[in-house]
Amino acid sequence: MTSETETGATGQSMSSGRDAEAVSRFVERFASEMTEAGMQRMASRVFAALLADDDGSMTSAELAVALQISPAAVSGAVNYLTQVSMVGRERDPGSRRDRYRLLDEVWFATFASRDRVLTRWESTLKEGVRILGEDTPAGARIAETVAFFEFLQAELVGMMDRWHEHRKTLGLPARDGRANA
Amino acid sequence: MTSETETGATGQSMSSGRDAEAVSRFVERFASEMTEAGMQRMASRVFAALLADDDGSMTSAELAVALQISPAAVSGAVNYLTQVSMVGRERDPGSRRDRYRLLDEVWFATFASRDRVLTRWESTLKEGVRILGEDTPAGARIAETVAFFEFLQAELVGMMDRWHEHRKTLGLPARDGRANA
DNA sequence: CGCTACTTTCACAAATTTGTGAAGTTAAGG
DNA sequence: CCTTAACTTCACAAATTTGTGAAAGTAGCG
């Protein structure tokens, strides 16, 4: 976590010039928007907490304190987040604590996993075309859906390249090769 | 619904050359994949049923029979689907029945509504940058996230144009101006 | 090799979500 | 207008999901 001198999740800012309470409100607000979009609640909260952390990296215990949840809840959330490649698990050498770290290019990874979902859908939809017959209106409609998804996946690649180009023009602070958005 | 002569959701195909049971399995399978991706179960099932229907259009009663659910459940699902612009509500003139119809360019609409979500997120994230300070690592990371989302939204427009171009090269059946994928 | 600090797993209780039947509402057709 | 078919709303029961405490498992460090 960023500062050891901050108070807990609902505590008032102390000396760090950062309003811990406002940060916590932001974390909760963004988490709840992600939840509305379909992500599990605890996973959203953990992710948002990491996003708002300067290191982009917190230990299990830090997360539990900051979010006021049990270690078990942290474990579950973090498990999910590593599954979908949004967060990495590290171990500080010489410590028994795991650290969880925002992966490089989180959003890229997130979109990439969407991509995997699309692939699954495509296979089901192709089966649908077969069942309905490509000459039926329904079959044709579903075939067009497949075509659209295939198009989307192809576009995604180029889009990511363009993003990396665009990113350079943004005057960003240098990458440290660790936590990034 | 497409055929009045088919039996119910689990019935065996009769004369239409379409295997009703296989269609139903496809509907359920695709619906469950959409559900896994975050859509409400009943909404997914209704949507999938419409997708597999030749007209892309069914009445409330037809949906209730095909999916074995209560009118109340249809009502709820359809309400959601119209909210997110995936399905349109019509009324056959001279009838008391509503018809629900797949909208033109459903997937386009779906992505467009994603777009609205991104906009909401952006506003929250910008607030986060303000709270954390753009000069802090966390603030900078979140600012980059905002930039990425803005980039994405900009890309979406061009991508849809390219899709429409690409679509023409696909040798699709002519549009009837009503139900499409 | 065992102590201890941490993480994970498990069973359960609480909360939330989901779908239903029934009552209420709306509007077409007489 | 009245009748009646259809849709919607509402309260509730069932099912699912969620987060917890406690027990079990792992791995540093002496």
Side-chain angles (χ1 to χ4, degrees):
Chain A
M1 184 145 65
T2 299
S3 168
E4 300 295 330
T5 63
E6 295 289 346
T7 53
T10 55
Q12 191 54 291
S13 152
M14 297 180 78
S15 56
S16 71
R18 184 176 289 188
D19 181 345
E21 202 181 325
V23 171
S24 164
R25 271 201 308 274
F26 161 68
V27 166
E28 293 304 329
R29 184 169 158 205
F30 187 58
S32 112
E33 283 175 4
M34 286 195 289
T35 300
E36 278 168 47
M39 182 146 83
Q40 306 170 0
R41 176 145 32 119
M42 287 296 133
S44 302
R45 295 181 70 206
V46 166
F47 182 79
L50 287 171
L51 199 66
D53 182 73
D54 273 334
D55 301 338
S57 144
M58 296 169 78
T59 66
S60 192
E62 285 166 348
L63 284 165
V65 171
L67 301 173
Q68 306 271 48
I69 58 182
S70 71
V74 174
S75 175
V78 142
N79 237 33
Y80 171 81
L81 289 169
T82 43
Q83 285 275 331
V84 300
S85 306
M86 292 175 76
V87 159
R89 189 191 312 255
E90 305 176 345
R91 164 108 4 144
D92 295 338
S95 161
R96 300 169 193 186
R97 301 182 175 182
D98 282 345
R99 299 191 72 74
Y100 302 103
R101 176 178 299 282
L102 244 40
L103 289 176
D104 276 5
E105 310 271 357
V106 220
W107 299 111
F108 178 91
T110 302
F111 277 72
S113 75
R114 278 288 164 193
D115 201 83
R116 260 172 266 135
V117 173
L118 283 191
T119 305
R120 279 247 312 286
W121 287 24
E122 267 177 46
S123 121
T124 301
L125 288 167
K126 280 178 184 163
E127 162 106 5
V129 173
R130 203 177 54 63
I131 290 170
L132 292 159
E134 16 182 5
D135 47 346
T136 66
R141 182 187 310 118
I142 296 174
E144 183 176 335
T145 302
V146 172
F148 180 68
F149 286 176
E150 278 168 350
F151 170 81
L152 263 192
Q153 287 186 294
E155 283 280 314
L156 228 64
V157 179
M159 199 160 84
M160 283 307 160
D161 292 345
R162 287 194 292 281
W163 161 245
H164 288 127
E165 273 315 302
H166 179 66
R167 189 179 180 285
K168 290 182 197 154
T169 72
L170 281 167
L172 294 159
R175 286 259 167 127
D176 64 358
R178 306 231 285 170
N180 297 290
Chain B
M1 184 143 69
T2 299
S3 168
E4 301 294 330
T5 63
E6 296 290 347
T7 53
T10 56
Q12 191 52 287
S13 152
M14 296 182 75
S15 55
S16 73
R18 185 175 289 187
D19 181 345
E21 202 182 325
V23 171
S24 165
R25 269 201 308 274
F26 162 67
V27 166
E28 294 303 331
R29 183 169 160 206
F30 187 58
S32 111
E33 283 176 3
M34 286 196 289
T35 299
E36 276 168 49
M39 183 144 83
Q40 306 170 359
R41 174 145 33 121
M42 287 294 131
S44 301
R45 296 182 70 207
V46 166
F47 182 80
L50 287 170
L51 199 67
D53 181 73
D54 273 333
D55 301 339
S57 144
M58 295 169 79
T59 65
S60 192
E62 286 167 349
L63 285 165
V65 171
L67 301 174
Q68 306 272 49
I69 57 182
S70 72
V74 174
S75 177
V78 140
N79 238 35
Y80 172 81
L81 289 168
T82 43
Q83 286 274 331
V84 301
S85 305
M86 293 176 75
V87 159
R89 189 191 311 256
E90 304 176 346
R91 163 108 3 144
D92 296 338
S95 161
R96 299 170 192 182
R97 300 183 175 182
D98 282 344
R99 297 192 73 74
Y100 302 102
R101 177 178 297 283
L102 243 41
L103 289 176
D104 277 5
E105 310 271 356
V106 220
W107 300 110
F108 178 91
T110 302
F111 277 71
S113 74
R114 277 289 163 191
D115 201 84
R116 260 172 265 131
V117 172
L118 284 191
T119 305
R120 278 247 313 287
W121 287 23
E122 267 177 46
S123 122
T124 300
L125 288 167
K126 281 177 184 162
E127 163 104 5
V129 173
R130 203 177 54 63
I131 290 170
L132 292 159
E134 15 181 6
D135 47 346
T136 66
R141 181 187 311 118
I142 297 175
E144 182 176 334
T145 302
V146 172
F148 179 67
F149 285 175
E150 278 168 351
F151 170 81
L152 263 192
Q153 286 186 294
E155 283 280 314
L156 229 63
V157 179
M159 199 161 83
M160 284 306 160
D161 291 345
R162 287 193 293 281
W163 161 246
H164 287 129
E165 273 315 302
H166 179 66
R167 189 179 181 285
K168 289 183 199 154
T169 72
L170 249 47
L172 294 159
R175 285 261 166 125
D176 64 359
R178 304 231 286 173
N180 297 291

